Amino acid sequence: MTLLRSLSTPTLPLQTARSVGRQNQAIVLMVLLSGIIIGGLGGRLVHLQLVDGDRNRQLAETNRIRLIPKPPERGKIFDRKGRILAGSRLSHSVYLQPLTQKKADWHKTRQRLADILNIPVQAIERRLAEEGYRSPYMVRIARGVSPQKVTALEEYRAELEGVEVDAEAMRDYPHGDLGAHVIGYTGEMNDQELQRRQGKDYRLGDVIGQMGIEAAFEQQLRGEWGGQQVEVDGAGTVLNVLGEKETRAGKDVTVTLDLELQKAAEAALGIQKGAIVALDPNTGAILAMVSRPGFDPNLFTTHMSDEKWKQLQSQDQPFLNRVLQSYPPASTFKIVTTTAGLESGKFSPQTVLNTYPSLHVSGVDFGEWNHAGFGPQGFVGAMTWSSDTFFYQIGLGMGEKPLIEWTRRYGFGQKTGIELSAEESPGLVPDALWKQKQVKQAWFVGDTVNMTIGQGYLEASPLQVAGMFAIAANGGYRVKPHLLKENATAQAWRQPLNLRSDTIRLLREGLRGVISTGTGQALNIPTLPPVAGKSGTAEDMGQGSHTWFGAFAPYDKPEIVVVAMGEFSGGSGGSVTAPMVRQVMEAYFKPKQTKAKAQQHR
């Protein structure tokens, strides 16, 4: 008992015990109050960090850090002699920083921008929504902003929180609509284009090639984005550059086009709807390519309204490159018919056939173009005068199979291999299977007769027709049309058709006869070296005829092939398109003649 008592708590006086109790109560109250305060702050911190954490962190960083993207300067496009076809000029673009405002607060800024920039407020709203209101990246909403609009933006700066104006390089086409279809144009990619390029380092708002060379060589021309991560103060002034990735300019591209010849071809076609193409028959290098109607690619360097786009589209398909589209090739195709007839073995080089006002086949009269005939003719004379009834008989004598086979061997019915393949039509080489499937009819002998003169269901592009003339010019080789000057693969590609020497000789003599005494005498002039060529007129009921003329020169050592096509031009190839070809050839040979004369006088 003594041990237990000695270990127990001693008894305190009453007054001391009460004092200790009050102190304990105060401490408890202080602890409770502190717990409530700390708990409230903790709950708020939890809410700020877990519920609104991402947004608040982004807002805090945005108040201090900005991501300023820098688009690359697009590579230049030069012609074969180093003259510029497409370059860049300095302009201004307008960007938005999504995080600087809450989504609900952007409506006033959007409306003010729409008023100043004259673009729909819905377009600005759509761009912000596509990028996301919590994105740290700046979103471009306008390019090519005029100095007047830049001044207006500066005047309303107080109402334009999160709006930035930056200088950047913009595509420029110094020659306006010259070569628009072959050079192409650039424009900002849309959602669908972005999806097609996923994984290729593209982002919304990127400017890409939309057609022509710009699209075909997009990977070389585009370059790589760069930008800066900068620290700013409350007024948006840059205090420090935290990091930087330099932009990488796109690579320059030199193409086979000749600027001066392109100008001549544009002038030759004028306002006539149609196409002109010039190429080197030995290498396939494209020297000029023109299509009408045309457009100015500079229109696409700034925002284009829906109204302006509709207005352009209403002008009879101005964005269609008619050099690459298909039409009945008409009598230019007699080159293939001649080849097929001779190579089939059904006709000899000495063949002579009588010609008639018309030929009656299976109950149908197939007429001669002059309604009289040309008397007895061989292959050279028939080509010279473009006798239809002569070639009808060639088709009847060999049948459709050799004709169709040689049409395909000449490259018809397939794409040529030019870099603009996305825009190119393969044309059409009809046969019995195709006709049964598409027309629900058997192949008739009349189909063969029509095909011998390049009509019926047969379709070919001006570029394919130029390739056909190149075969006659270079001695029987298919070449690959191309636009890239340093395209060694295309330059070396020559597919022999293994034509007999007599076939080549008769083709060339017949085509020369067209110019010297036949339907192409418009090119039989002293300012040109000897020319060989062929006219064609494809009837199209109700809309007028398509007119053709193709030629190569010099006759003994060809350097150039020119093909012109007038879409629904009316008239004949000899009267409508032959003068166009002559004008292009004069532009090509005049500098050579001037240089030769200068060397003679030295």
Side-chain angles (χ1 to χ4, degrees), residues 219-412:
Q219 291 304 308
Q220 295 97 311
L221 291 166
R222 63 175 296 222
E224 293 183 12
W225 277 77
Q228 290 182 330
Q229 188 178 51
V230 298
E231 183 180 8
V232 298
D233 60 17
T237 305
V238 176
L239 302 176
N240 187 29
V241 176
L242 303 177
E244 183 169 3
K245 177 188 176 183
E246 290 188 7
T247 59
R248 182 177 296 177
K251 296 179 182 178
D252 297 337
V253 170
T254 300
V255 295
T256 58
L257 296 173
D258 183 293
L259 177 60
E260 294 305 317
L261 195 66
Q262 182 72 27
K263 290 178 180 178
E266 302 258 356
L269 189 56
I271 61 172
Q272 171 62 53
K273 184 166 63 174
I276 292 179
V277 60
L279 57 76
D280 182 333
N282 303 298
T283 66
I286 301 294
L287 305 176
M289 182 181 288
V290 186
S291 179
R292 287 284 187 273
F295 63 95
D296 185 350
N298 287 303
L299 292 172
F300 295 90
T301 60
T302 58
H303 172 74
M304 181 177 290
S305 65
D306 292 339
E307 293 76 15
K308 181 63 175 177
W309 175 252
K310 290 177 182 178
Q311 181 184 351
L312 284 171
Q313 287 283 48
S314 68
Q315 297 174 7
D316 207 353
Q317 296 180 297
F319 303 106
L320 189 69
N321 188 344
R322 286 166 166 80
V323 172
L324 307 177
Q325 304 309 306
S326 299
Y327 306 84
S331 288
T332 63
F333 185 75
K334 289 170 182 174
I335 292 173
V336 176
T337 305
T338 296
T339 302
L342 290 168
E343 294 292 324
S344 70
K346 299 291 185 180
F347 298 93
S348 74
Q350 293 74 37
T351 295
V352 174
L353 300 173
N354 200 19
T355 61
Y356 307 94
S358 65
L359 206 64
H360 194 76
V361 179
S362 299
V364 179
D365 284 327
F366 293 87
E368 183 65 77
W369 69 267
N370 72 345
H371 309 292
F374 299 92
Q377 295 291 338
F379 278 101
V380 172
M383 184 75 79
T384 296
W385 298 108
S386 194
S387 171
D388 293 333
T389 55
F390 178 92
F391 289 102
Y392 295 157
Q393 294 174 77
I394 298 298
L396 290 170
M398 66 176 163
E400 79 274 11
K401 289 185 178 180
L403 183 60
I404 291 170
E405 176 191 349
W406 277 100
T407 303
R408 291 180 174 143
R409 291 184 67 178
Y410 261 80
F412 292 102

Side-chain angles (χ1 to χ4, degrees), residues 525-548:
I525 55 177
T527 55
L528 291 177
V531 179
K534 185 72 188 75
S535 61
T537 305
E539 300 297 333
D540 191 292
M541 302 303 293
Q543 297 191 64
S545 56
H546 303 308
T547 53
W548 292 84

Side-chain angles (χ1 to χ4, degrees), residues 85-107:
L85 300 175
S88 300
R89 60 182 174 85
L90 194 63
S91 186
H92 289 88
S93 295
V94 178
Y95 290 85
L96 303 183
Q97 183 83 8
L99 273 172
T100 54
Q101 297 188 61
K102 293 181 180 179
K103 180 178 179 180
D105 295 336
W106 270 103
H107 69 281

